[in-house]
Amino acid sequence: MFKKRIRQLRKEHKLTQQQLADKIGVGRATIAGYETKGKEPGYDTLKKLAEIFNVSTDYLLGHTDNRQNPNDKIKSAISDDPELLEFWNELSQREDLQLLFKQTRDLPKEAIQDVINIIRRIERDAHKRHN
């Protein structure tokens, strides 16, 4: 499934294999291997590909047909609160929180805001304990 999706997304974005390879820091032959030989990238490369194509890693791997990147759904839910959006952007870069993104995929907007607020409270409590 990965080889089909990576090729489809590359073509949709009008990228050559070389252009995509340059974007993720690999050789063109690596992209060709993904598309024709069924090779799969490591975790860091998979994340880069998901970011470039603005899809979830689960979509790339064929675990879901939902292209939506969970992080986009969250950003949309909190877009009216700049402080909260900045906080989320910082959190979303943490590899240890990638599981959280997967778990929020199907939550309604209100539940996503609740989860983020809980995380903020935990962070504030931890900060108070250390001061």
Side-chain angles (χ1 to χ4, degrees):
M1 182 59 78
F2 176 77
K3 69 181 188 176
K4 178 182 174 185
R5 293 213 167 148
I6 194 71
R7 180 181 171 100
Q8 177 186 6
L9 288 165
R10 179 179 62 77
K11 289 184 175 232
E12 284 176 14
H13 284 78
K14 297 180 174 46
L15 294 172
T16 65
Q17 287 181 342
Q18 185 62 56
Q19 289 169 325
L20 180 56
D22 291 344
K23 284 181 176 285
I24 62 172
V26 299
R28 189 206 58 77
T30 300
I31 302 301
Y34 294 159
E35 292 184 4
T36 61
K37 296 181 181 172
K39 295 186 178 189
E40 291 188 358
Y43 179 72
D44 289 337
T45 302
L46 185 66
K47 280 180 37 179
K48 286 179 188 177
L49 289 166
E51 289 173 13
I52 289 167
F53 296 127
N54 196 31
V55 297
S56 70
T57 54
D58 280 345
Y59 176 78
L60 284 174
L61 295 173
H63 298 186
T64 181
D65 290 332
N66 182 356
R67 286 186 177 202
Q68 185 176 22
N69 185 328
N71 197 25
D72 290 343
K73 184 176 180 183
I74 294 168
K75 285 182 176 183
S76 174
I78 61 173
S79 62
D80 58 338
D81 185 338
E83 183 182 339
L84 187 56
L85 186 58
E86 179 182 351
F87 176 77
W88 180 254
N89 286 334
E90 290 173 18
L91 286 180
S92 67
Q93 299 305 311
R94 292 180 46 183
E95 288 185 30
D96 58 336
L97 294 175
Q98 293 302 313
L99 179 61
L100 176 63
F101 297 151
K102 286 183 178 184
Q103 297 300 319
T104 60
R105 179 175 309 136
D106 298 320
L107 292 177
K109 178 179 177 177
E110 297 79 19
I112 292 170
Q113 289 175 328
D114 290 343
V115 169
I116 293 170
N117 288 330
I118 289 168
I119 293 169
R120 290 179 82 184
R121 274 187 247 126
I122 291 169
E123 181 187 50
R124 280 190 292 252
D125 290 348
H127 182 73
K128 287 177 186 177
R129 283 193 300 272
H130 293 292
N131 287 333

